[in-house]
Amino acid sequence: MGLKGKLIASMEVKCGGHLVHDIFHINAHHIPNISPSKVNHFEIHEDEILKIGSIVSWKYNHDGKEKFAKQVIEAIDPPTKSITWKVIEGDVLQSYNSFIVITYCDHQWTTVDLKNEKKIEDTPEPLTLLDFFIGVINDIESHLLKK
């Protein structure tokens, strides 16, 4: 069993956390248009709206390379406006046995929680991935403030 880790970033969003949650939950397919320098493609495999058990895939730019991730939605909690995304395939699993992204949105705040289990102890903390998610949320906020 590898070394487990957790990184959390909370950001104030002027557009309101509930609107960011709506993008992640109902309009995730728009993220490549909202954040084109970071996300190239998003697809929901089966259905059109995210629900527990939905499988999604992303093509995204990270560390100067196009990467791929396939995730299953493990949980959606409307009262806390949270979504739990577990990576089941993709580039991140080359370094980690498991990788889970949880987004929480509340009033004027959005939080990203990255939980991981490293394959080897020397694997760096996923700080650049945390920075990636912060960048996507900043792009979403800018998009929503333009409306």
Side-chain angles (χ1 to χ4, degrees):
M1 185 130 106
L3 184 63
K4 293 184 179 185
K6 182 176 183 175
L7 293 174
I8 300 173
S10 289
M11 306 169 325
E12 185 175 17
V13 287
K14 294 178 177 111
C15 61
H18 66 288
L19 293 175
V20 174
H21 174 73
D22 287 349
I23 294 286
F24 282 126
H25 186 218
I26 300 167
N27 294 305
H29 60 282
H30 290 297
I31 294 175
N33 296 327
I34 294 170
S35 188
S37 66
K38 295 171 189 66
V39 180
N40 304 326
H41 178 78
F42 173 81
E43 182 178 351
I44 301 174
H45 303 275
E46 299 178 25
D47 297 320
E48 293 180 18
I49 294 180
L50 295 179
K51 60 184 180 184
I52 296 171
S54 292
I55 297 188
V56 301
S57 61
W58 305 78
K59 287 184 183 174
Y60 60 98
N61 299 316
H62 178 246
D63 288 341
K65 297 177 185 164
E66 185 175 88
K67 306 274 179 107
F68 171 78
K70 186 179 268 189
Q71 299 172 305
V72 63
I73 305 301
E74 288 196 322
I76 298 174
D77 185 13
T80 63
K81 294 185 178 24
S82 70
I83 303 175
T84 302
W85 320 68
K86 180 180 181 181
V87 177
I88 56 174
E89 286 180 32
D91 294 288
V92 75
L93 294 181
Q94 292 175 2
S95 301
Y96 301 92
N97 289 324
S98 67
F99 202 90
I100 296 172
V101 179
I102 304 171
T103 57
Y104 304 88
C105 302
D106 181 27
H107 302 292
Q108 300 295 80
W109 293 89
T110 295
T111 300
V112 177
D113 182 344
L114 304 182
K115 295 181 180 183
N116 63 79
E117 181 183 329
K118 297 177 182 182
K119 286 190 175 189
I120 59 172
E121 285 188 38
D122 292 346
T123 301
E125 295 297 326
L127 293 170
T128 59
L129 280 168
L130 185 64
D131 186 52
F132 167 83
F133 286 106
I134 290 169
V136 170
I137 291 167
N138 285 333
D139 288 348
I140 291 170
E141 177 186 32
S142 294
H143 170 78
L144 291 169
L145 289 173
K146 285 180 193 174
K147 288 186 165 188

